[in-house]
């Protein structure tokens, strides 16, 4: 039997790597899905394996939760050298209160308002 096509996608590789040595129930909770759904996705069984259920929402959640992004602001600040940050770092900068104590941090925070990763 041929594995489902989603198992070749980058988000799936990221999900599998996060599950190694981890409690799958914790990963499922972080993604906002059931442990059963996570198991079916990882094993290519049930409606996911049969192609009857879409993985689009889960792919988005995996990327948003565990992904890494090129930060446009930091890349520009570094003169075009790509600066990659985790999704968690991205959210912590973007969702904090306006940083009034540092002009540099304020510029970064303002850039986040226009960022495609938000």
């Amino acid at each position: 039997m041929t594995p489902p096509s989603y198992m070749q996608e980058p988000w799936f590789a990221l999900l599998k790597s996060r599950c190694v040595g981890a409690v799958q129930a914790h990963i499922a909770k972080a993604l906002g899905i059931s442990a059963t759904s996570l198991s079916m996705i990882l094993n290519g069984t049930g409606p996911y394996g049969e192609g009857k259920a879409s993985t689009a929402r889960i792919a988005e959640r995996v990327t948003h939760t565990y992904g890494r992004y090129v930060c446009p602001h930091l890349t520009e600040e570094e003169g075009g050298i790509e600066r990659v940050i985790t999704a968690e770092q991205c959210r912590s900068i973007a969702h904090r209160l306006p940083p009034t104590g540092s002009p540099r941090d304020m510029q970064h925070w303002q850039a986040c308002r226009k960022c495609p990763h938000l």
Side-chain angles (χ1 to χ4, degrees), residues 3-20 24 27 31 33 37-45 48-49 55-56 58-64 66-67:
S5 61
Y6 69 81
M7 290 184 159
Q8 303 305 315
E9 295 179 21
W11 70 265
F12 184 76
L14 178 59
L15 176 62
K16 281 192 71 143
S17 71
R18 294 301 285 200
C19 288
V20 172
Q24 286 187 9
I27 301 291
L31 295 173
I33 62 175
S37 291
L38 178 60
S39 178
M40 286 189 289
I41 291 163
L42 290 171
N43 296 308
T45 59
Y48 297 101
T55 57
I58 289 138
E60 183 179 324
R61 288 180 181 204
V62 168
T63 302
H64 186 71
Y66 300 118

Side-chain angles (χ1 to χ4, degrees), residues 49-100:
E50 297 166 3
K52 294 179 182 177
S54 172
T55 57
R57 179 179 64 91
I58 289 138
E60 183 179 324
R61 288 180 181 204
V62 168
T63 302
H64 186 71
T65 304
Y66 300 118
R68 300 177 73 78
Y69 302 115
V70 173
C71 176
H73 176 76
L74 294 176
T75 296
E76 182 180 316
E77 204 174 66
E78 295 281 331
I81 298 169
E82 284 191 352
R83 285 285 310 272
V84 178
I85 60 175
T86 66
E88 185 178 331
Q89 289 169 319
C90 182
R91 280 191 304 276
S92 71
I93 295 165
H95 297 294
R96 66 183 171 179
L97 294 173
T100 57

